[in-house]
Amino acid sequence: MDGSFRLLACLVCVISPGSFLRTRKDTTGSLPSTDLLSAPAQRWSMQVPGEVRAAAGDAAVLTCTFTHPHRHYDGPLTAIWRAGEPYTGPQVFRCTAARGSELCQTALSLHGRFRLLGNPRRNDLTLRVERLALADDGLYFCRVELSGDIHDRFESRHGVRLRVSAAPRIVNISVLPGPTQHVFRALCTAEGEPPPSLSWSGPALDNGSLPAPGYGYGHGHQVTAELPALTHDGRYTCIASNSLGRAEASVYLFRFRGTSGTPATALLLGALGLKALLLLGVLAARAARERQEPPVTQDTSPRSQPQESNYENLSQMNLQGPRGALCTPGPLTSSCTP
């Protein structure tokens, strides 16, 4: 009896470790690419900086290095960079390397401004972004795919934050109709990073400040400020400023005012009619001047020039000379002898 229990205990000791390893392998095999795919010395990992700062118009370098479970991998390889969100964000860069090749040929580069600096064969996906704009501000995620196997790929989940700074720039300034007739409002939109603060200067505005709180609002890197009612004619200037600089733009308001009892529309039509009459007078004077001046024609046809001939001279001399005179023409001159 004791021998049976000992045999059963030994079987449990032999079978249990094997079944535990199989269960662990099946469980991790169905998981997405994580650090649990293999031993700690050969696991998937990615290292990216938390934040990269650059100015608009300059270039930024987004570093990304990784490790993979293979001791040596020489098969097909794809490097990808996404923007916005991991796994589902739009791709801004993509390149592929054939088996045995260290050259990663670019298949996608958004606007041609993204260029791979690192060597994916050496676990480096570092990317360079040229000619930065405020729209490039955001999160970026690097990804590597080693083969067609769904478990043989990895992507950074936290990403690198690219912060683009820019001096203020006035995007738009305009005068628009107000809520009631004969009332106008001014609108100014500027962009920059940090988002600029806006102020107005113009007729009847105190110290160039906004007329009241709540008329300025922002969206991303853009800020808009409004003057709800322009009470005076003249020049209105929008001023945008942040820690990197200052920008301003102006708009003019001149409302048309007619005399007492005269509608503005009638005065406008009268001014247009006067211009039309002046134009007709100029055209009539020009036509009369053209009728008075006779047309000048120029005869360009070639005229035949009289040619001198020794024989013609000889005939004239025979008619005028004395009778019985004998004339003999020469090759260049003619002479007569009695």
Side-chain angles (χ1 to χ4, degrees), residues 238-258:
C238 174
I239 305 167
S241 58
N242 66 5
S243 58
L244 299 178
R246 169 189 171 105
E248 63 180 45
S250 299
V251 67
Y252 294 82
L253 174 67
F254 294 102
R255 289 171 291 188
F256 188 82
R257 295 185 179 87

Side-chain angles (χ1 to χ4, degrees), residues 170-230:
I170 304 294
V171 178
N172 180 49
I173 182 171
S174 57
V175 173
L176 303 174
T180 60
Q181 191 177 9
H182 305 303
V183 175
F184 298 89
R185 59 192 180 97
L187 207 64
C188 176
T189 301
E191 67 177 9
E193 181 59 36
S197 60
L198 300 184
S199 60
W200 287 93
S201 65
L205 294 181
D206 297 333
N207 298 326
S209 60
L210 288 173
Y215 287 103
Y217 54 92
H219 177 71
H221 305 287
Q222 291 191 352
V223 179
T224 300
E226 177 183 350
L227 280 175
L230 306 183

